[in-house]
Amino acid sequence: MADEVKLYAVAGSPFVCRAKIALNMKGIKYENLEQDLSNKSAELLKYNPVYKKVPVLVHNGNPISESLLIVEYIDEVWKGVPILPQDPYEKVVARFWAKFIDEKCIPALYKAFGPDGNEDTDKEACEQLQMLENELKVKGTKFFGGDSINLVDIAADFIAYWLGIIQEAAEKTLFTKDKFPKLTEWADDFVNLEVVNQVLLPRERLLAFFKKRFGKA
């Protein structure tokens, strides 16, 4: 019996795109179910009653929520291209950096570009980006995963694609090649991967959205 795979999603969400990238890497066919978050479907609320958010992956009737957990589940269930390292230590390190991106880096960036953004929030955001820049320098590899992407690269999809668009919308630049040469090069390489660019919403659509959110009045 074939696997039934459904993804409850919103186009343009970096968190949803994490799941889509992982599914693409494994070559998994799935049904994409677009959600209206202003009028959440009964199915979404049924499958994710705690957070009531996307993405939610439903595999043979079993729901998995939270994007990084979904990516790890996909890696566990479907073999082929590995997403997490096989070595136990390297696996823990990958999880550490993925968690860092979600808990430290992305919140600092949203704060810097939000209405209360100032020199202090800008400095904090740049300090978090510098952590990732340093990690890439230490690794000396094309991606956080080495020659190919892994959990950390997928977790950082927001930095690779969304951050540049937000900068343009807000008319404020923190993430530059001069400041972060390794990380900006990584971002270009990541976005140009077929498994990644297939799932990205066109830049123009995201720019219009973020101009309403972050643009100057």
Side-chain angles (χ1 to χ4, degrees):
M1 182 178 172
D3 283 332
E4 182 185 57
V5 183
K6 297 179 180 180
L7 184 67
Y8 290 80
V10 169
S13 162
F15 303 103
V16 168
C17 281
R18 291 172 174 179
K20 290 183 176 182
I21 291 166
L23 289 164
N24 271 4
M25 288 177 70
K26 300 287 186 175
I28 306 302
K29 293 181 179 179
Y30 62 95
E31 183 181 359
N32 188 74
L33 299 166
E34 283 291 316
Q35 301 296 298
D36 177 1
L37 296 185
S38 64
N39 183 24
K40 295 174 182 177
S41 70
E43 281 192 323
L44 176 63
L45 298 176
K46 170 189 169 185
Y47 286 129
N48 190 3
V50 176
Y51 293 110
K52 304 177 178 65
K53 296 190 301 185
V54 294
V56 177
L57 183 78
V58 181
H59 179 213
N60 295 334
N62 296 317
I64 305 97
S65 57
E66 296 299 289
S67 61
L68 293 179
L69 295 180
I70 290 170
V71 172
E72 289 211 33
Y73 179 84
I74 290 167
D75 195 41
E76 285 281 338
V77 172
W78 289 284
K79 302 309 172 189
V81 179
I83 296 173
L84 271 90
Q86 300 304 301
D87 178 79
Y89 175 73
E90 292 297 329
K91 187 177 292 186
V92 168
V93 170
R95 285 174 175 150
F96 170 86
W97 284 111
K99 189 175 181 182
F100 165 80
I101 289 163
D102 265 6
E103 294 186 357
K104 297 284 285 183
C105 204
I106 293 176
L109 288 165
Y110 270 114
K111 195 176 288 186
F113 285 96
D116 298 323
N118 54 47
E119 285 186 11
D120 289 338
T121 58
D122 290 356
K123 182 182 176 184
E124 174 67 18
C126 287
E127 285 176 356
Q128 306 308 326
L129 290 173
Q130 189 62 50
M131 295 282 190
L132 295 174
E133 174 77 12
N134 293 345
E135 177 64 7
L136 275 175
K137 283 180 182 175
V138 169
K139 292 183 77 70
T141 54
K142 187 175 184 180
F143 299 108
F144 289 99
D147 293 331
S148 56
I149 63 174
N150 73 357
L151 178 70
V152 184
D153 298 279
I154 295 171
D157 65 348
F158 173 85
I159 297 165
Y161 189 61
W162 280 261
L163 180 53
I165 298 170
I166 290 172
Q167 290 192 144
E168 184 176 341
E171 298 178 36
K172 171 177 171 176
T173 304
L174 299 178
F175 186 48
T176 65
K177 287 184 179 180
D178 288 341
K179 287 183 185 175
F180 307 104
K182 290 292 293 181
L183 200 55
T184 50
E185 183 181 9
W186 161 83
D188 289 341
D189 290 336
F190 178 79
V191 168
N192 285 323
L193 290 172
E194 188 176 359
V195 292
V196 175
N197 61 41
Q198 284 177 344
V199 305
L200 298 175
L201 204 65
R203 199 175 192 283
E204 295 73 23
R205 286 182 61 184
L206 285 173
L207 183 60
F209 171 80
F210 284 122
K211 276 185 175 179
K212 291 178 183 176
R213 180 170 179 179
F214 295 110
K216 294 178 180 178

